[in-house]
Amino acid sequence: RKWRDRRRRDVSRASEQDGGRCRCRPVMPPSDDVGEAKPRDAQQCVFTLADVAKHNTADDLWLAIDGGVYDVTSYLKQHPGGQVLATWAGRDASDVFTAWHTDGVRRKLPRFRVGTLAAPADADAAARAAGFADAATLVAYEADKKAMLKSFADRGYYDTDFRVYARAFATPPALFLLSIVIVLLTSTWQAHALAGLVLGLGWHQVAWIGHDVMHSSVLKGRVRNHVLGCLYGNFFGGISVGWWKYTHDMHHATTNEHERDPDITHLPFVAVTEKMFLSANARPLTAVELALLKVAVPLQHLTYLPIMFVAARFNLYWQSIYMLFVGHRVLAMPFQSVHYGAKVVNAERLALVGFWLWYLAVCYAAYARAGAAGAFAYFAVSHLYMGVLHVQISLSHWERPHASACEKSPREKEWFYHQIVTARDITPTAFMNWYMGGLNLQCAHHIAPRVARHHLPAATVEVRNFCRKWNIPYTESGMLPAVWEVASSLCDVAGKVKQLDERRAAALIRKSE
């Protein structure tokens, strides 16, 4: 009854806002099961995208998905990904929903349905507004896109080959054990430096395992993947997989939106685009941040690699500790508090404490065997090596196009297109696919995040063909050329910091006049 009364109020309010022109038909009320809901006597409206766009806040959150309109306001606090759901409030989220969710989740949608999305009055005009020549071209594009994504499922790309993952899961513990054996059996700092390198190789592979399990690419079931993620991410790697999931989900939903994507918002130390400090849509900076920006960003092309190799890993340690033990929210996303259950949070805390106990114990063993030089070599080399991981992550998006949601062109507003043009693939080889855990193939991963890593090369071939057919810019290069392009892009942005002072001076002149 409460649900029906609330939907009646929503429908009545929407009808009033639309001047009483709301076209109605029987509603799809909620059901206790996850199957199709059955119609009752309430009314279901047909809404335009403009109607849906009015419900664009966390307190009033509607989504359009594959022709249906859904009020998910009450579900926001329960959403496994957290507040990322609100980033698509008031918009057509069909592509992003399909990319992230299984058919089991889709079957739960009817309980939130409030109406149907109206077809545009002028299909050709709507197609041109979306960046297509006419409605027929748009229909053909959507058909090809759905056919490609369907082929991913038909060919088993979402299925896990446990023989591949058996090797992947066995590699880090084997490397950790080898590292510990080297420490215990040797007494020179050079040998301990080698042990640190072996440990770093293990951490490197742990990162890809944590990525896969938190994308639900390995096991079926969110809780089982989170438990496995705690073991590899928290206990073996020292990084909270819960923290990673919050930020990574937001990254996929808002890729290269310079004011929201946590994977690129590193001000005041690094700015991947001048829009982060010159655009009217940029995040407001405090006086301290502005002062640091003027010092750090002009030098960022020089400090890029030192930050990646020296500081980035410790930033992740602090982010994890802060979320689990200090602030109970995500530092890079202050609006996101920890909403996992107490058992999950306590498991993450216990696993993270376990990491520091075993890692510091090995460092102490290195000190006992080879003195301060041996302990320092073990600690320093293991962390310096991890700079390779952070450089690899930066290559995927840092020098690609950036825009806030309101700055995007009509074509860029289509999620699928935006994921392709904002990503870079590193040329696939057997070694590179293993070394980068399949994430050298960012384009296929971003449009279908649940595809298992061993299927990404085949999926990438289909993505390339699709991009070629529809003239979508697709970027691929070797690893070293990509590093050069990122550094060059950072250099270009560094040279535009002086425009801050020029704009301020111009504003003062206008004010005095």
Side-chain angles (χ1 to χ4, degrees), residues 173-185:
L175 290 171
F176 297 154
L177 182 60
L178 176 60
S179 173
I180 293 171
V181 168
I182 294 173
V183 167
L184 295 178
L185 297 183

Side-chain angles (χ1 to χ4, degrees), residues 194-247:
L194 175 62
L197 177 61
V198 173
L199 176 63
L201 286 168
W203 280 344
H204 193 180
Q205 294 305 309
V206 159
W208 310 136
I209 291 174
H211 176 275
D212 288 356
V213 298
M214 297 309 286
H215 266 302
S216 298
S217 297
V218 182
L219 301 177
K220 305 302 179 186
R222 187 176 68 252
V223 174
R224 282 181 289 179
N225 279 298
H226 204 132
V227 170
L228 192 57
C230 280
L231 173 63
Y232 277 83
N234 293 50
F235 183 74
F236 285 149
I239 310 299
S240 164
V241 290
W243 166 85
W244 176 90
K245 183 165 179 59
Y246 282 132
T247 59

